[in-house]
Amino acid sequence: MPLRVVFMGTPDFAVGPLMQIVGAGHNVVACYSQPPRKADRGMESRKSPVHKMAESFNIPVETPTTLKDSIAQTIFKSHKADVAVVVAYGQLLPKHILLAPRHGCLNLHASKLPRWRGAAPIQRSLMTGDTETAVAVMKMDEGLDTGSIAMEEIVSIDPNMTAGDLHDQLSIVGSDLILEALEQLGTRALTLTEQKKTGVTYANKISKYETRIKWSRNAKDVHNHIRGISPFPGAWCEFESGGQKERLKVLRSRKMEGEGVPGEILDDQMTIACGKGAVRLEEVQRAGKRPMSAEEFLNGAPISKGAVLL
């Protein structure tokens, strides 16, 4: 049974679910996304990925800076939605918005709730070394990711998977899951289960102050740090080039055996000593350059075995 849907999302992660919902024949009467942002170096405003996708489907797009004022809430209610689907929208929804759709608001969240409630569940799960995560559909309440669970699908995490890899996989799984939830909602077969009271953790937004690689940590922690924030914002270190320090972003790594001064390049394959053990850098990016393999980097950089990354 087709539903009257308001879709709320902003980044790439939400594009797949929007496409699935439209493709399944549901009537998306409006799309809410974060306002266009100024691009780098003062260029013109850039619409979000969801905003652009919605326009390609001729879906009206709303970009309010807040949903707390009465005008925004009146506009939202005027859509007369059966349900709102919320996927990485970027704003907390006030009570009047949560109660406006006939069946409330369903949120697609990229974690095994109640683990990793909050802004950065994909990154935090990898940075901590979790071996599995999930995509969950929950009915939203006024808390931060505290609503009752409608359905959940567990996803295994490969030890060398990056946040970008996991993001893409969870978006695909989540697109199918939210569609299944809408189908069950339409037939009144959707059931809800309260979240557990134990095992609650919070995935705080990634700060720029925690992106620098600390080679004094053990290899497992360094590796998880690198893959947990790759490709964005990206873990980084520095190396000496022509008497100047140059930043090097590390996009992929692998745990290895080895020992030396933390940050020391141990061989010609970019194996780097950590406080305990070592990691091999597999993909890196110099400032202003494209991502490249470690081999390409070594061929073009004035750096070799014995040098120390800072």
Side-chain angles (χ1 to χ4, degrees), residues 28-169:
V28 181
V29 295
C31 183
Y32 280 68
S33 194
Q34 289 302 292
R37 306 295 188 193
K38 289 290 186 181
D40 294 337
R41 299 180 183 177
M43 296 169 63
E44 63 184 30
S45 295
R46 181 178 299 166
K47 296 175 181 177
S48 75
V50 165
H51 189 149
K52 290 188 285 188
M53 182 57 66
E55 287 186 333
S56 75
F57 287 125
N58 295 315
I59 299 170
V61 179
E62 301 281 352
T63 59
T65 56
T66 180
L67 291 169
K68 294 180 180 179
D69 65 67
S70 59
I71 294 175
Q73 292 174 10
T74 298
I75 293 172
F76 190 89
K77 291 176 183 177
S78 73
H79 300 307
K80 301 184 184 304
D82 292 315
V83 64
V85 173
V86 184
V87 187
Y89 174 48
Q91 286 190 44
L92 289 176
L93 305 187
K95 184 176 181 179
H96 288 293
I97 297 294
L98 293 171
L99 296 178
R102 185 160 63 98
H103 295 297
C105 302
L106 295 181
N107 175 234
L108 184 68
H109 185 75
S111 83
K112 189 179 178 181
L113 291 167
R115 185 164 177 79
W116 301 128
R117 294 173 178 170
I122 293 175
Q123 292 91 337
R124 295 297 177 188
S125 63
L126 293 178
M127 293 170 76
T128 307
D130 290 353
T131 58
E132 69 175 21
T133 187
V135 180
V137 175
M138 66 177 166
K139 185 171 182 180
M140 298 177 71
D141 59 22
E142 292 183 81
L144 178 61
D145 300 328
T146 55
S148 295
I149 304 296
M151 52 183 58
E152 181 180 75
E153 185 161 342
I154 303 298
V155 175
S156 296
I157 300 177
D158 182 271
N160 293 308
M161 179 177 277
T162 68
D165 299 332
L166 186 56
H167 167 283
D168 294 348
Q169 183 175 350

Side-chain angles (χ1 to χ4, degrees), residues 60 89 105 238 255 299:
Y89 174 48
C105 302
E238 291 179 319
K255 287 191 299 177
N299 287 338

